[in-house]
Amino acid sequence: MNDLESIQGIGPKTAELLGKLHIHNQNDLIRFYPYRYDILKRSDITNLEDGSKVVIDGVVEGSPTIIYLNRGLKKMIFRISNKKTILNISIYNQVYLYDELKSGKDITIIGKYDKVKNTIVASEVRFEKLPIEPKIEAVYHSTSGLSSKNISKFISSAFLNKEEEKDILPIGIMEKYNLFNINDALYEIHFPRDILSLKKARQRLKYEELFMYLLKINYMKLKINNDKKAISRSISQDKINEFISKLPFKLTIDQLKAEEDIIKDLNSTKRMNRLLQGDVGSGKTVIAFIASYGNFLAGYQTAMMVPTEILANQHYLNAKELFKDEKMKIELLTSSTSKKKKEEIYEKLESGEIDLIIGTQSLIQEQIKYKNLGLVITDEQHRFGVNQRDTFKNKEETPDILSMSATPIPRTYALTIYGDMDVSSIKTKPVGRKEIITYFKKEKDMYDVLNLMKEELDKGHQIYVIAPSIDEDSDEKESVTDLEEKMKKAFGKICKIGSVHGKMDSKDKSNIMTDFEKKKIDILISTTVIEVGVNVPNASMIVIFNANLFGLSTLHQLRGRVGRGDIQSYCILIAKEYQERLKMLERCNDGFEISEYDFQNRGEGDLFGIRQSGETGLVLANVNRDFKMMLKAKEDADYYIDEILNDETGLYDSVKQELMKIEYLD
Ligand code: ADP
Ligand code: MG
């Protein structure tokens, strides 16, 4: 039974409409918070301007006149008086109000002033006077057939039926911050008495969200740390060092530190859940491979999951090369792996004949059994949902997790987003890397762009060209097909040109990529499919068309495709118009600063991608805006976690229930 229908005015139809807004019961309804508020305040009518909004109350004078207009339209005109003056009101298509608009009645009009006709065109009529103090009115997201007003009315009715809720927050906290109790907070967020109580209501609800979220994180941490099924190994750091000494380059200090953190985690009795973050090109992949090597030495299998097939291929080839002198057995599994090969791989994973499997989402879509999976690595972690990571299960033991991300986030944000993770950061790039030089160019300066490209081609370097769309081009968007034509016209005589995009068959895609790696192609035109991870050190330039259509972090990621060796590399951003944020990329090469800039200018949605409120429970609270409050909540969650979990008086039962709801990795 849908208890919504016990509210007056809600029948099956309305209940369905409410369902569209994800309101399925009275509790959802009460927690369907307004997205903004209007302040209803009497207008000063002494100097009204044409078109300005008017809120005014008065007394109806005489009876309205109905005027019949074209096409069945009806207009009603009448007058109201207040202490100061008499006003003309007109209202369209609401003749049903005629009977109510009796002379002498108190009413409020909300509408717009039409100076030419000296009348207020009403959009709303209320049969009451305005309150003396300005009134704050909640505005809700609505849907067709269901207005914000309707929703407000339903919520108001729901409060009549509603039982008092018990506070979930510890009393100590309520007293410490002098918080509203939950019932007042819920009521006041919908029907605020005044600004102050609205503020307090929001504060209370936000705090509760943050506190519960951080408490859950603490709880998960405890659970993970106490996980009896965690694997502990005894990998010898000497053996790892020996392997490292054979690498073609010297690891940076940050890489070494990260590698040591990981080996320590793998050797400890605690389960590893570590985020390896580092800007594009900082050298995360080799660290992941070292981790898989350590895991292999201890006799366990590693699964490495990456977001694209191109990247899976590339990692696979790199791993083959890196481990060519080792006994480690490596396989590749993607959606284009043949059925026969797949089955062979499944068998070998189950029998333990594969030590490292590299693949795309296929790794989790299929029902794969491992003999002894010990480590799961996800590259470009932010592209996977938390739940996907969690599908790697191993009955006997729980595998350790290493996630890699190039989206740099401050430590404290990492705490809130990734919650229970430890973090290793690679902040410095390998020595010898030259800063990528970025130029912003307007479309009309294409001649300059072609010249810059020619210079690189003359040096024997390769170039990426990025277009926002595959084949439909318009005034706003260049396409891969069209750019391929253009590039062929410009450079077809002196070099080879190829293209890749997401709609292509994956065999063709990987053939083209291999050709590019082997320098059989000099200019590669593509959509953003190459955004993540691809590594061709001889590519020294990336030209991005319609750069204005991409987020800064995406552009920075794309730019990271070049500058991967020791040759000077360039990024050219092209847009029709000058844009300050694109100029920002000319000045700045630091992924951290860029994501901060994006964060400030675009909000957290972009940065946090998958972390929707469903996962975090953060609806009103926002880790950016409510940062200070979050730190407080963190302190409190740390303080209360033990008290809550050890409580036997029943005081914290509701909190405990919330915590138990977490299904985490078992
Ligand atoms: P990302 O962190 O973006 O995943 P990669 O792991 O792809 O970066 O590394 C980029 C390139 O840098 C690769 O060609 C890799 O072999 C190389 N590389 C990694 N570490 C070092 C190092 N310490 N010195 C020199 N080159 C390195
Ligand atoms: Mg990478």
Side-chain angles (χ1 to χ4, degrees):
M1 199 195 87
N2 187 344
D3 74 342
L4 277 177
E5 289 181 36
S6 64
I7 290 173
Q8 212 194 357
I10 303 186
K13 272 220 180 95
T14 310
E16 206 183 309
L17 290 175
L18 287 165
K20 281 193 191 165
L21 299 168
H22 307 287
I23 301 170
H24 303 290
N25 52 48
Q26 296 205 22
N27 185 43
D28 293 345
L29 187 61
I30 299 252
R31 284 176 167 74
F32 187 75
Y33 304 132
Y35 79 96
R36 72 177 169 86
Y37 295 86
D38 276 345
I39 296 186
L40 210 63
K41 187 177 166 215
R42 189 177 283 107
S43 309
D44 174 11
I45 48 162
T46 50
N47 52 6
L48 284 177
E49 280 175 34
D50 190 38
S52 60
K53 188 183 168 188
V54 184
V55 177
I56 191 73
D57 57 357
V59 178
V60 179
E61 294 284 326
S63 343
T65 313
I66 298 177
I67 298 166
Y68 294 85
L69 308 167
N70 292 339
R71 287 188 235 116
L73 274 180
K74 287 171 202 152
K75 174 164 118 172
M76 205 155 56
I77 54 175
F78 59 98
R79 305 213 291 180
I80 63 168
S81 66
N82 67 14
K83 278 180 216 120
K84 292 180 191 136
T85 178
I86 290 192
L87 296 159
N88 300 316
I89 313 290
S90 50
I91 183 162
Y92 290 86
N93 282 337
Q94 295 189 33
V95 260
Y96 57 86
L97 293 175
Y98 184 91
D99 288 338
E100 279 185 273
L101 287 167
K102 292 229 167 66
S103 192
K105 236 184 185 175
D106 283 323
I107 64 167
T108 292
I109 298 288
I110 299 167
K112 266 193 184 146
Y113 182 60
D114 179 338
K115 189 162 190 171
V116 181
K117 296 194 178 128
N118 186 29
T119 184
I120 296 167
V121 182
S123 54
E124 197 187 330
V125 178
R126 297 184 185 187
F127 294 91
E128 61 193 10
K129 273 187 150 164
L130 278 171
I132 298 176
E133 291 296 317
K135 189 176 169 217
I136 306 169
E137 284 191 330
V139 184
Y140 299 89
H141 280 297
S142 48
T143 176
S144 123
L146 196 64
S147 67
S148 169
K149 280 249 149 40
N150 297 144
I151 294 171
S152 172
K153 231 175 67 200
F154 297 148
I155 293 174
S156 162
S157 310
F159 271 105
L160 297 178
N161 304 346
K162 187 174 176 298
E163 283 172 22
E164 296 266 296
E165 284 181 35
K166 259 180 70 184
D167 276 297
I168 202 165
L169 289 179
I171 299 191
I173 290 181
M174 307 265 296
E175 285 175 349
K176 180 162 133 195
Y177 304 115
N178 187 21
L179 294 174
F180 266 177
N181 73 45
I182 186 66
N183 298 295
D184 289 349
L186 286 171
Y187 189 79
E188 291 291 329
I189 198 160
H190 293 291
F191 309 105
R193 216 172 325 181
D194 50 36
I195 293 277
L196 185 68
S197 58
L198 173 58
K199 230 176 135 172
K200 287 199 68 169
R202 286 177 58 83
Q203 184 192 44
R204 151 72 202 226
L205 295 170
K206 278 187 195 177
Y207 181 86
E208 181 170 318
E209 287 175 10
L210 290 166
F211 178 76
M212 287 310 295
Y213 177 57
L214 293 159
L215 202 62
K216 284 176 190 171
I217 287 173
N218 281 352
Y219 178 67
M220 290 193 282
K221 264 198 166 148
L222 282 175
K223 239 181 110 173
I224 288 170
N225 292 349
N226 294 332
D227 199 332
K228 302 219 169 41
K229 290 185 278 182
I231 303 171
S232 78
R233 308 163 181 77
S234 49
I235 305 162
S236 125
Q237 184 67 46
D238 286 347
K239 280 215 167 127
I240 298 287
N241 291 345
E242 198 186 314
F243 179 76
I244 291 174
S245 71
K246 285 187 275 179
L247 290 173
F249 42 72
K250 239 182 112 195
L251 291 186
T252 62
I253 291 176
D254 288 345
Q255 280 176 314
L256 282 169
K257 172 83 176 63
E259 165 268 313
E260 277 168 23
D261 285 347
I262 293 166
I263 300 297
K264 251 190 221 135
D265 282 356
L266 291 178
N267 282 343
S268 95
T269 49
K270 278 200 280 180
R271 177 162 190 229
M272 174 168 82
N273 192 11
R274 185 170 286 279
L275 172 71
L276 176 58
Q277 67 168 33
D279 211 348
V280 280
S282 61
K284 296 182 291 294
T285 322
V286 66
I287 301 306
F289 284 143
I290 294 172
S292 75
Y293 181 65
N295 187 48
F296 158 74
L297 290 178
Y300 287 94
Q301 294 169 296
T302 302
M304 183 173 196
M305 185 165 66
V306 303
T308 66
E309 243 184 280
I310 291 180
L311 194 53
N313 264 315
Q314 193 175 4
H315 281 350
Y316 174 68
L317 295 176
N318 284 340
K320 284 288 238 197
E321 170 65 23
L322 193 65
F323 296 117
K324 63 178 187 292
D325 299 330
E326 308 294 331
K327 290 199 190 77
M328 208 162 147
K329 284 193 219 67
I330 307 163
E331 281 292 353
L332 174 71
L333 182 73
T334 67
S335 55
S336 55
T337 308
S338 73
K339 211 170 158 229
K340 192 160 155 256
K341 180 81 185 165
K342 269 187 188 164
E343 260 146 38
E344 185 193 317
I345 289 178
Y346 296 160
E347 268 171 34
K348 286 187 172 173
L349 283 170
E350 197 168 354
S351 66
E353 282 169 78
I354 294 173
D355 302 304
L356 170 61
I357 179 84
I358 299 173
T360 51
Q361 308 247 5
S362 307
L363 282 181
I364 46 171
Q365 274 151 12
E366 333 266 341
Q367 273 306 316
I368 299 179
K369 293 204 190 75
Y370 294 86
K371 178 158 185 234
N372 53 2
L373 182 62
L375 174 64
V376 173
I377 301 172
T378 62
D379 195 4
E380 306 303 340
Q381 192 268 347
H382 58 289
R383 306 205 151 212
F384 288 112
V386 171
N387 296 334
Q388 287 178 312
R389 276 200 338 248
D390 296 354
T391 38
F392 284 96
K393 284 179 192 165
N394 196 345
K395 278 182 210 77
E396 307 305 319
E397 295 168 305
T398 14
D400 290 299
I401 293 181
L402 176 65
S403 313
M404 296 190 279
S405 175
T407 308
I409 25 174
R411 176 72 189 92
T412 344
Y413 289 148
L415 170 97
T416 63
I417 314 160
Y418 298 112
D420 52 321
M421 286 191 180
D422 293 310
V423 180
S424 295
S425 303
I426 307 181
K427 296 199 193 86
T428 45
K429 290 205 175 157
V431 281
R433 288 286 165 76
K434 298 196 173 67
E435 285 268 285
I436 300 164
I437 298 175
T438 300
Y439 296 119
F440 170 75
K441 293 277 176 193
K442 288 192 188 169
E443 262 171 36
K444 64 176 178 48
D445 298 325
M446 194 52 60
Y447 185 72
D448 291 354
V449 176
L450 293 176
N451 271 336
L452 289 165
M453 289 176 72
K454 175 117 191 335
E455 278 175 30
E456 289 312 295
L457 293 168
D458 286 346
K459 288 182 217 158
H461 298 163
Q462 291 159 278
I463 300 178
Y464 294 103
V465 173
I466 307 294
S469 87
I470 297 177
D471 44 19
E472 43 184 295
D473 54 25
S474 65
D475 223 25
E476 306 304 315
K477 276 189 194 175
E478 292 283 351
S479 71
V480 171
T481 347
D482 191 51
L483 281 178
E484 192 171 358
E485 289 282 300
K486 284 184 185 156
M487 291 300 146
K488 276 187 175 148
K489 255 190 209 143
F491 302 115
K493 286 210 181 87
I494 59 165
C495 71
K496 284 240 151 42
I497 293 153
S499 65
V500 278
H501 55 73
K503 275 197 208 155
M504 251 158 100
D505 184 79
S506 43
K507 262 257 148 50
D508 297 342
K509 236 188 320 193
S510 73
N511 285 341
I512 300 268
M513 289 313 294
T514 317
D515 283 352
F516 190 62
E517 272 170 55
K518 292 191 175 145
K519 206 173 175 300
K520 286 185 197 158
I521 289 175
D522 303 287
I523 301 180
L524 181 69
I525 298 140
S526 120
T527 49
T528 53
V529 292
I530 59 139
E531 177 192 341
V532 271
V534 172
N535 192 28
V536 178
N538 187 52
S540 64
M541 178 175 276
I542 184 163
V543 183
I544 306 169
F545 281 82
N546 307 111
N548 51 305
L549 298 179
F550 300 105
L552 290 188
S553 295
T554 303
L555 290 171
H556 181 63
Q557 289 257 346
L558 283 168
R559 173 165 72 177
R561 292 316 104 213
V562 298
R564 305 208 131 220
D566 45 16
I567 51 180
Q568 178 60 56
S569 297
Y570 303 88
C571 168
I572 301 180
L573 303 171
I574 303 172
K576 234 186 220 113
E577 311 280 347
Y578 171 88
Q579 262 194 355
E580 176 50 35
R581 54 179 213 113
L582 296 178
K583 290 297 269 186
M584 184 272 176
L585 287 178
E586 278 189 339
R587 297 191 297 272
C588 178
N589 243 317
D590 175 349
F592 181 89
E593 220 176 287
I594 290 164
S595 77
E596 200 81 335
Y597 186 94
D598 237 3
F599 189 83
Q600 300 302 338
N601 290 281
R602 282 165 63 117
E604 65 179 299
D606 194 38
L607 182 59
F608 295 137
I610 54 162
R611 309 282 153 155
Q612 292 306 320
S613 58
E615 258 178 57
T616 58
L618 303 179
V619 180
L620 291 171
N622 168 304
V623 292
N624 192 26
R625 281 196 306 271
D626 304 312
F627 192 58
K628 275 198 192 130
M629 191 189 276
M630 193 188 71
L631 293 181
K632 286 266 177 255
K634 165 83 180 129
E635 233 171 67
D636 296 334
D638 288 348
Y639 178 82
Y640 276 97
I641 182 82
D642 287 341
E643 190 170 325
I644 290 171
L645 291 178
N646 298 327
D647 172 64
E648 281 175 1
T649 64
L651 188 62
Y652 294 120
D653 278 0
S654 45
V655 188
K656 277 190 190 168
Q657 256 171 33
E658 280 300 307
L659 291 180
M660 299 308 159
K661 279 187 197 159
I662 307 169
E663 285 225 351
Y664 194 73
L665 295 164
D666 38 45

